[in-house]
Amino acid sequence: MKKLINAAAVALAAAPLPAAAGPAKPTIVLVHGAFETSAVWGYVVAKLEKDGYTVKNIELPGRTGNEKPMSEVSLALYQQTVARAIADETRPVVLVGHSFGGFTISAEAEAEPEKIKTLVYVAAYLPKNGDSLLSLATADAGSKLGPLLNIDKEHGFASVKAGMGGGVFASDGPQPVQEAVSSAVVSEPLAPLGTPIMLSAARFGKVDKVAIRTLRDQVISTSFQTGMIKAGPVRLELTIDTGHVPFITQPDALAAEIEKAAQ
């Protein structure tokens, strides 16, 4: 993933960062999506920390740095990974999920609603009880990701065809960024993608929610995001004029929206 960060840094000049804000801010916990690692949040972490936030950037199981056999990775394990990361938190927690990360943060809110101040969905699935990523993704007629996927049932993972992900994930980015994103895509364990999530009105339903909608998204189409947001409900809907990976193509703008959501 270092190649992704380095290539994007060349293609996208970072704006000057403001001075750090005062204390008494919530802890922001970042959860990446499918086919990603925690490295995708690098620019956003730097901006949030510069603005005075404590940030935790979670590496989900099945990736370098949190190795686990694909056969042992589950949606429950993703949720438990988040729970361990915030177990000792004394500040309010703002839990931010990108794409499939929407399932992970929703599962954690169901398990420990008292720990979460706000859930923030960034170009993310906002599931209902019984939904799985598979059920939602196949209902999104505007997504262009499906034809690019390889499903290896024997070994229990899904992958994006080599060299083809960048144009869909980073559709708003210049060519060097698209190429870097393509090279950084990782395989994703299958089990979490097909697992229906169990959510209740009494637990998940009581947690504050904010959605950040991406206006040029080709992975989770903008119209599909809009439908999920309307069905939410969410307290606040924000928009950012990017494709699916705003943390790469417009990290400062995304950080600003996350800060709005955290208030």
Side-chain angles (χ1 to χ4, degrees):
M1 296 297 289
K2 290 182 179 179
K3 183 178 179 182
L4 167 60
I5 299 302
N6 292 337
V10 172
L12 301 169
L17 299 177
K25 294 178 180 288
T27 295
I28 296 179
V29 179
L30 303 173
V31 181
H32 63 76
F35 310 110
E36 300 170 349
T37 75
S38 62
V40 298
W41 293 108
Y43 293 128
V44 172
V45 170
K47 176 66 165 63
L48 293 172
E49 289 181 341
K50 185 69 174 180
D51 288 350
Y53 288 90
T54 297
V55 182
K56 293 187 175 182
N57 188 10
I58 295 178
E59 191 77 75
L60 293 177
R63 292 145 174 89
T64 301
N66 193 356
E67 288 83 359
K68 198 80 172 176
M70 293 281 184
S71 60
E72 297 180 17
V73 178
S74 65
L75 180 58
L77 184 59
Y78 284 172
Q79 176 268 313
Q80 292 158 13
T81 301
V82 176
R84 285 193 295 269
I86 65 174
D88 296 330
E89 276 299 320
T90 57
R91 298 184 186 186
V93 171
V94 174
L95 201 51
V96 182
H98 174 248
S99 197
F100 177 66
F103 274 87
T104 304
I105 66 173
S106 298
E108 170 58 14
E110 175 69 18
E112 300 185 298
E114 71 283 353
K115 297 280 290 186
I116 312 302
K117 174 184 181 292
T118 300
L119 298 172
V120 183
Y121 295 83
V122 178
Y125 290 106
L126 206 173
K128 296 291 190 183
N129 182 50
D131 285 337
S132 68
L133 177 137
L134 181 61
S135 71
L136 291 182
T138 53
D140 183 4
S143 174
K144 297 183 179 180
L145 181 60
L148 304 184
L149 296 180
N150 290 317
I151 307 299
D152 188 334
K153 293 183 179 180
E154 180 181 355
H155 297 97
F157 69 88
S159 60
V160 180
K161 294 178 181 177
M164 299 185 68
V168 172
F169 282 96
S171 54
D172 58 317
Q175 189 63 30
V177 171
Q178 293 185 8
E179 292 174 358
V181 169
S182 287
S183 67
V185 168
V186 299
S187 297
E188 182 70 23
L190 273 179
L193 306 182
T195 302
I197 192 168
M198 298 295 106
L199 302 172
S200 67
R203 298 179 69 81
F204 169 74
K206 299 297 185 183
V207 181
D208 180 55
K209 301 173 186 68
V210 175
I212 301 177
R213 186 168 55 115
T214 40
L215 298 181
R216 290 190 266 170
D217 204 311
Q218 296 184 8
V219 176
I220 306 177
S221 70
T222 304
S223 61
F224 198 75
Q225 290 181 48
T226 300
M228 289 187 291
I229 291 167
K230 287 182 177 179
V234 301
R235 169 177 59 85
L236 178 65
E237 177 187 350
L238 303 168
T239 60
I240 185 166
D241 189 16
T242 70
H244 194 60
V245 290
F247 37 68
I248 298 298
T249 59
Q250 291 195 39
D252 286 352
L254 176 58
E257 299 305 290
I258 291 173
E259 292 180 15
K260 289 179 189 176
Q263 294 176 0

